[in-house]
């Protein structure tokens, strides 16, 4: 039976790449949210849109990790960490850019966010203020924590389901391989090992003396 890989290392690497990509995409969504239709950003105080983004991040990370057919249980909490971390990084990066651009540009001159707002100066100026998303009282910061929890739990559930399915499939395949292996045929009363055969004598080989 061929050795089945756990998929741990490929899952860790490709999951990390997916998490960084999702964080960048979420940061851009936070920065450019003013360009979205008001009906989308104001519906439900913006919570439905943020929850959809959190679920999309969890789904993408789970699909990417699941593509390597993982069997390692270690990837289950790692997937949750990746998804929750991607939401945190995206929120902080996008908020830092947005706050930095607001601080560096007078309100009267501010327009909709554009690519010119994505600068290290804006990020550095807004970064000290961005962690307030999580440091203020819970009654004010619960939406940010909710989005993190939704992404982490969704990724945890999806990757758990995938890992358990792969492990169950491998156990079934191993059992089938053992059943299909035919035992070695042995005739009735055949010894496990054939006795050593004596070399055939010839005219020039002295015979052993007969015993009484």
């Amino acid at each position: 039976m061929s050795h089945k890989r756990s998929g741990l290392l490929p899952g860790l690497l490709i999951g990390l790449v997916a998490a960084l990509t999702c964080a960048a995409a979420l940061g851009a969504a936070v920065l450019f949210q003013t360009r979205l239709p008001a009906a989308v950003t104001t519906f439900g105080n913006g919570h439905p849109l943020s929850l959809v983004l959190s679920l999309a991040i969890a789904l993408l990370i789970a699909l990417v990790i699941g593509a390597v057919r993982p069997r390692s249980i270690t990837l289950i909490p790692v997937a949750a960490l990746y998804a929750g971390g991607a939401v945190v990084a995206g929120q902080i990066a996008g908020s830092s850019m947005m706050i930095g651009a607001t601080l560096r540009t007078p309100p009267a001159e501010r327009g909709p966010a554009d690519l010119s707002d994505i600068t290290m100066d804006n990020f550095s100026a807004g970064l000290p203020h961005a962690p307030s998303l999580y440091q203020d009282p819970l009654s004010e910061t619960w939406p940010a924590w909710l989005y993190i929890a939704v992404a982490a739990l969704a990724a945890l559930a999806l990757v758990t389901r995938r890992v358990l399915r792969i492990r169950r499939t491998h156990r079934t395949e191993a059992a089938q391989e053992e059943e299909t292996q035919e035992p070695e045929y042995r005739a009735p009363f055949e010894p496990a090992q054939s006795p050593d055969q004596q070399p055939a004598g010839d005219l020039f080989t002295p015979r052993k003396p007969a015993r009484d």
Side-chain angles (χ1 to χ4, degrees), residues 33-43 49:
Q33 61 182 324
T34 56
R35 288 184 171 272
L36 296 175
V40 175
T41 57
T42 59
F43 176 73
L49 176 60

Side-chain angles (χ1 to χ4, degrees), residues 70-73 76 159-167:
R71 292 193 305 124
S72 175
I73 298 179
I76 296 176
V159 176
T160 299
R161 182 173 179 270
R162 179 62 171 168
V163 169
L164 293 181
R165 284 183 59 187
I166 297 299
R167 292 171 69 91

Side-chain angles (χ1 to χ4, degrees), residues 15-104:
L16 179 60
V17 173
L20 294 175
T21 302
C22 290
L26 180 59
V30 172
L31 178 61
F32 297 114
Q33 61 182 324
T34 56
R35 288 184 171 272
L36 296 175
V40 175
T41 57
T42 59
F43 176 73
N45 292 327
H47 300 320
L49 176 60
S50 298
L51 289 174
V52 168
L53 292 175
S54 295
L55 290 174
I57 289 173
L59 179 60
L60 179 59
I61 292 176
L63 287 176
V64 168
I65 293 178
V68 302
R69 296 182 60 82
R71 292 193 305 124
S72 175
I73 298 179
T74 305
L75 286 174
I76 296 176
V78 169
L81 181 63
Y82 280 167
V87 173
V88 172
Q91 288 178 341
I92 290 180
S95 299
S96 298
M97 295 285 187
M98 183 171 59
I99 295 173
T102 302
L103 293 176
R104 291 167 55 83

Side-chain angles (χ1 to χ4, degrees), residues 54 58 76-77 79-85 87 146-157:
S54 295
I76 296 176
L81 181 63
Y82 280 167
V87 173
L146 175 63
Y147 309 147
I148 298 171
V150 167
L153 292 177
L156 182 73

